[in-house]
Amino acid sequence: MAHIFQINISQGGVPKRAIASGQVTAEGLAGDWQNDRRYHGGPDRALCLFSLEQILALQAAGHPIYPGATGENLTIAGLDWETVRTGARLRLGPEVEIEVTGFASPCRTIAGAFREGAFAEISEKKFPGRSRLYARVLRAGSIRAGDMVQMISPDEAGS
């Protein structure tokens, strides 16, 4: 079953630190901030998501990456990451609904999470299906580590 493995916040920059629970608003995760708001944050990039399985595969390849190291707000486990695309809707726990708005382009800020600074390892252009994702919040609410994550159809949204 797909679930929220870890919730991550920071006052700007990376890595983001784990918290047990959080409040999701239209602007993102309460208590979280991004240093460069031109490229991160805002309503269409309110949350950044990444796959625990992708992190583990990168670790197995020798990268020092760990949950929160690349600035994702939510580390998700058990979701078929390669099938999650722009427009996909996800329910997080009993309250929150989000819509994927695009892929998060990697930059040198996260280079420390990769062997020899190879941050392009999570570039959607170079390695499709391995990127972090941005999402907008359709329905705000509380989330906790361990909460279920499920893909939903547009007609299920808000129900």
Side-chain angles (χ1 to χ4, degrees):
M1 177 175 82
H3 65 279
I4 299 172
F5 176 78
Q6 188 167 296
I7 302 168
N8 309 297
I9 63 170
S10 78
Q11 290 303 302
V14 294
K16 292 188 184 285
R17 65 177 174 81
I19 58 173
S21 61
Q23 186 67 31
V24 176
T25 72
E27 289 296 315
L29 195 53
D32 185 58
W33 191 252
Q34 301 80 33
N35 281 340
D36 191 343
R37 302 279 290 179
R38 292 175 298 166
Y39 302 108
H40 308 287
D44 286 337
R45 299 176 300 219
L47 294 174
C48 183
L49 318 172
F50 202 27
S51 162
L52 177 64
E53 290 78 12
Q54 294 297 332
I55 291 170
L56 295 174
L58 288 160
Q59 284 177 345
H63 297 283
I65 190 171
Y66 55 89
T70 64
E72 79 274 8
N73 298 115
L74 302 177
T75 310
I76 307 293
L79 194 61
D80 184 0
W81 202 248
E82 294 178 10
T83 66
V84 184
R85 294 288 179 241
T86 301
R89 292 183 178 203
L90 303 173
R91 182 170 291 134
L92 310 174
E95 298 176 1
V96 177
E97 290 181 10
I98 62 174
E99 179 180 10
V100 174
T101 56
F103 303 102
S105 297
C107 69
R108 75 186 60 165
T109 304
I110 62 170
F114 300 92
R115 187 180 64 240
E116 299 176 9
F119 61 86
E121 288 287 328
I122 61 170
S123 167
E124 183 64 20
K125 290 179 184 175
K126 292 185 179 190
F127 300 100
R130 198 186 287 177
S131 178
R132 297 164 299 161
L133 301 169
Y134 280 129
R136 75 172 53 97
V137 176
L138 301 175
R139 191 168 72 185
S142 297
I143 55 171
R144 300 188 60 73
D147 275 353
M148 181 181 65
V149 174
Q150 81 185 112
M151 290 195 51
I152 59 173
S153 64
D155 54 315
E156 290 179 277
S159 59

